[in-house]
Amino acid sequence: MQGLMMHCPLTVTSIIDHGNRVFPKKEIISIFPDKTRHVYTYADLYKRSKKIADALLGKFQVKPGDMIGTYAWNHHQHLELYFGIPGAGAVCHTINIRLSSSQTEFIVNNAEDRIIFIDAILTPAFENIAALLPTVEAYIIMNAPKGFKTSLPNAIDYEDFIADAADNIDWVTVDENDACAMCYTSGTTGLPKGVLYSHRSTWLHAVIMSLPNYGNTSTEDRILVGVPQFHVMAWGIPYGAVLCGTVLIFPSCHLHPEPFIDIIINEKANKANGVPTIWQGIYTVLKKNGVSDSFPLKEFLVGGASMPPTLIGNFQKDFGIKAIHAWGMTETSPVGTLSRLQPQHASLSDSEKIKIRALQGQEVPCVEIRIVTENGIIAPRDGKTVGEIQVKGVWVISSYFKTISHENFSEDGWFKTGDVGTINEEGYLKITDRTKDLIKSGGEWISSVALEVAIMAYPKVKEASVIAIPDELWTERPLAVIVLRDENDSLSMDELHSFLLPSFAKYQLPEKISFIKEIPKTSVGKFDKKEMRRLYAEGKLGV
Ligand code: AMP
């Protein structure tokens, strides 16, 4: 027997409908690259999102499922696109602005983006590749200064685009399982793969992440969005915030410690989110300059890479700021687990509490995790048995966009994360390693396989392997382990970089090389990265 409740689809547009009805005067603040401050209300956001939808429908006859790209920093216009594009029935495809031009070209062509909304300051990246993007019909330029010029074809100013659009149209009707947004994630082979979020998955993630045990969002909060909006929709934080009537603060490109701290102070942000690299930098500056009693930040969400326990402890001890450690992936919308203390931990010492908070944490509702050992056995939750982390749930990927990848799923349908770890008796996940051949630096991926293939194409190189080495600021950096064809030859860093640069973003280039006689191999002849990591840790790789 079915329940007798109304069938109201869970759509992301219902989030802004609610925000507009209940919190129309709540503020959204953007601090632009030149430090200009822009403020408007939820009611303004609502109307301008409607204009976006109307302009897309009227001027481009956008159809359900069309891909519309964004290439932008964190600001209110980007938020308008979070609602306006799905409001037209289309998919908001946020493109990572840190990728190389060849990676961006691949992503836009793979997604078949019809229109790209792009910040004026970021247009040079697309001017280089526009001729290679046959599906893109127009570029809508955001935040263009007076006299701005671009060689992009069919460039339209954002404000002109929405100027005569209606702000009261009905959102296009969609099913809650229809796609509303897409982000690409690095594939181990170097080809990024699309992850397509549904209205329903986004809505449920926003609601659950707002609960006190998890993201802990309320109408009292002023949240500074420190995760780029192209990164899993800023971890879904803006959607949850609008549901809760939170003041949202967007820092545009100001993600470096000093300006970020200025924004925290000036805008009285009591919460924020960001990757460990950001928090490492912020801690260093706060420690040097000191923190006044009125420093507003009380709590922040950190994830995307492992947050060192000492840093969690230092934020707490030195400034009374709570770092909430979370684990997740682009494929999990992103949050899968999150670490908060439970009442039974109240009597523990401070250092024992930090140890727990530094774990990746417990499953959030709607997500289940399990550890599967190398022998295919589901591990007990004993905090000792190590295996691959597999995950399933309402906002977990069931298939990549346009890609069949059985290897990413277990036979019974769980997503294989490529992360390795344990789960303890209390259900806390601890990540101990990674099986996927990727390096995470400052929250951004570097494909070691793609680097290896590229380095081996250099005539002087006989064999090359790339491993992740620990780095205090960036969490990990790539180390190139190289065997030269001719032992007596040499290869300088500049030479290697100029060879690699056309295909990689700058941050993806290794700045350390180890020259060795032979790369260690496994019994089946694969590069033995575990062994190379061991050699590096023991100082035997000569770097
Ligand atoms: P992305 O898809 O870019 O969000 O990256 C997801 C991956 O980042 C995960 O599979 C992990 O390898 C890593 N990751 C995310 N959060 C954490 C964390 N809290 N601790 C350790 N690794 C993490």
Side-chain angles (χ1 to χ4, degrees):
M1 183 192 288
Q2 293 230 312
L4 293 174
M5 292 296 115
M6 292 184 188
H7 179 70
C8 300
L10 306 176
T11 59
V12 299
T13 45
S14 71
I15 294 176
I16 181 60
D17 287 344
H18 174 78
N20 176 56
R21 271 196 311 268
V22 181
F23 311 106
K25 293 190 178 150
K26 270 289 164 122
E27 289 183 338
I28 294 161
I29 300 160
S30 304
I31 309 297
F32 282 100
D34 63 357
K35 306 269 172 88
T36 315
R37 182 174 189 265
H38 175 279
V39 190
Y40 74 0
T41 64
Y42 276 27
D44 298 320
L45 167 68
Y46 173 76
K47 281 191 187 146
R48 286 171 57 95
S49 304
K50 289 246 165 173
K51 279 170 161 276
I52 291 287
D54 187 48
L56 285 172
L57 292 165
K59 297 182 181 168
F60 287 96
Q61 290 75 49
V62 160
K63 296 181 304 305
D66 278 355
M67 291 287 166
I68 310 292
T70 71
Y71 195 77
W73 286 109
N74 289 13
H75 45 59
H76 64 279
Q77 296 102 322
H78 210 164
L79 185 63
E80 290 161 7
L81 298 170
Y82 274 30
F83 293 110
I85 294 173
V91 180
C92 178
H93 168 208
T94 56
I95 304 165
N96 186 335
I97 63 174
R98 298 203 173 116
L99 298 179
S100 69
S101 29
S102 56
Q103 289 161 333
T104 308
E105 178 196 329
F106 171 82
I107 284 174
V108 173
N109 284 332
N110 188 255
E112 299 179 57
D113 289 320
R114 283 189 59 191
I115 297 159
I116 306 283
F117 286 86
I118 183 167
D119 271 336
I121 48 168
L122 299 174
T123 48
F126 264 78
E127 285 168 352
N128 291 335
I129 54 171
L132 307 168
L133 307 175
T135 62
V136 179
E137 296 161 38
Y139 293 85
I140 318 286
I141 315 288
M142 296 184 279
N143 302 307
K146 269 210 179 87
F148 172 78
K149 288 209 167 46
T150 175
S151 64
L152 288 174
N154 300 325
I156 308 167
D157 181 78
Y158 186 82
E159 295 304 325
D160 292 346
F161 180 63
I162 58 173
D164 56 358
D167 63 9
N168 58 357
I169 61 154
D170 290 335
W171 303 119
V172 168
T173 305
V174 294
D175 184 89
E176 64 181 23
N177 289 307
D178 285 345
C180 68
M182 181 158 78
C183 294
Y184 275 74
T185 181
S186 279
T188 47
T189 57
L191 282 186
K193 290 187 278 188
V195 179
L196 202 50
Y197 307 111
S198 67
H199 282 264
R200 176 183 148 86
S201 69
T202 305
W203 200 95
L204 288 167
H205 184 272
V207 171
I208 300 281
M209 277 305 291
S210 302
L211 297 175
N213 264 359
Y214 307 103
N216 185 23
T217 309
S218 92
T219 187
E220 308 282 334
D221 291 326
R222 301 173 67 87
I223 300 184
L224 175 56
V225 184
V227 170
Q229 283 184 264
F230 56 77
H231 232 157
V232 208
M233 317 305 283
W235 298 352
I237 295 296
Y239 287 124
V242 172
L243 271 179
C244 297
T246 304
V247 172
L248 271 169
I249 305 154
F250 290 101
S252 67
C253 62
H254 297 300
L255 301 180
H256 296 290
E258 282 90 355
F260 199 78
I261 292 170
D262 285 348
I263 297 175
I264 290 176
I265 295 171
N266 297 340
E267 302 301 341
K268 300 187 175 50
N270 67 329
K271 290 189 183 152
N273 65 353
V275 293
T277 301
I278 288 198
W279 297 111
Q280 180 75 57
I282 289 173
Y283 177 78
T284 309
V285 174
L286 291 181
K287 185 75 182 163
K288 187 166 141 241
N289 297 347
V291 164
S292 76
D293 288 346
S294 60
F295 191 69
L297 190 74
K298 299 291 172 246
E299 178 171 315
F300 62 82
L301 260 186
V302 57
S306 187
M307 175 77 163
T310 43
L311 197 52
I312 296 179
N314 287 344
F315 263 106
Q316 187 71 57
K317 177 168 61 71
D318 295 342
F319 315 125
I321 298 174
K322 223 186 236 177
I324 306 298
H325 194 197
W327 166 88
M329 306 176 69
T330 307
E331 289 90 334
T332 64
S333 296
V335 183
T337 65
L338 184 143
S339 201
R340 284 187 186 274
L341 296 174
Q342 306 299 317
Q344 69 268 26
H345 302 137
S347 58
L348 296 178
S349 69
D350 287 349
S351 67
E352 283 170 318
K353 284 181 184 160
I354 295 300
K355 268 192 207 152
I356 296 173
R357 287 179 39 205
L359 298 172
Q360 274 70 18
Q362 298 172 304
E363 293 139 314
V364 299
C366 297
V367 173
E368 266 183 80
I369 51 169
R370 69 182 184 187
I371 302 285
V372 179
T373 68
E374 273 181 348
N375 305 328
I377 304 209
I378 297 173
R381 294 189 163 208
D382 59 5
K384 291 196 285 266
T385 313
V386 176
E388 185 183 33
I389 297 155
Q390 298 188 354
V391 59
K392 80 172 186 190
V394 168
W395 54 72
V396 175
I397 189 171
S398 63
S399 174
Y400 287 101
F401 178 65
K402 287 186 180 170
T403 309
I404 293 169
S405 56
H406 297 300
E407 70 279 10
N408 294 109
F409 296 89
S410 69
E411 272 175 19
D412 55 350
W414 291 60
F415 176 66
K416 294 156 90 173
T417 64
D419 287 328
V420 170
T422 59
I423 303 177
N424 71 16
E425 294 81 352
E426 291 187 313
Y428 284 77
L429 172 72
K430 178 179 183 177
I431 306 260
T432 56
D433 202 356
R434 191 184 290 150
T435 55
K436 50 195 172 196
D437 220 347
L438 290 167
I439 297 157
K440 194 116 198 235
S441 183
E444 298 289 341
W445 286 117
I446 302 171
S447 163
S448 37
V449 175
L451 269 178
E452 283 163 5
V453 170
I455 296 172
M456 281 196 278
Y458 197 56
K460 284 185 182 177
V461 175
K462 183 174 162 208
E463 272 187 329
S465 181
V466 175
I467 57 167
I469 55 171
D471 184 275
E472 195 177 323
L473 179 60
W474 302 106
T475 315
E476 291 177 0
R477 290 296 302 149
L479 167 71
V481 183
I482 293 180
V483 182
L484 290 173
R485 275 187 199 287
D486 176 353
E487 265 185 45
N488 302 315
D489 214 342
S490 65
L491 171 62
S492 74
M493 193 63 78
D494 284 348
E495 194 180 346
L496 185 66
H497 281 192
S498 17
F499 178 66
L500 295 174
L501 206 50
S503 321
F504 292 87
K506 259 204 184 125
Y507 81 90
Q508 295 173 324
L509 301 181
E511 60 281 280
K512 282 189 181 162
I513 305 180
S514 160
F515 292 102
I516 57 174
K517 285 212 162 80
E518 199 187 337
I519 293 192
K521 314 259 173 26
T522 64
S523 56
V524 291
K526 289 188 183 177
F527 292 154
D528 191 344
K529 300 209 171 180
K530 243 191 194 158
E531 175 62 5
M532 279 184 270
R533 286 204 295 264
R534 188 186 67 76
L535 290 172
Y536 175 79
E538 292 177 3
K540 293 182 182 157
L541 278 184
V543 274

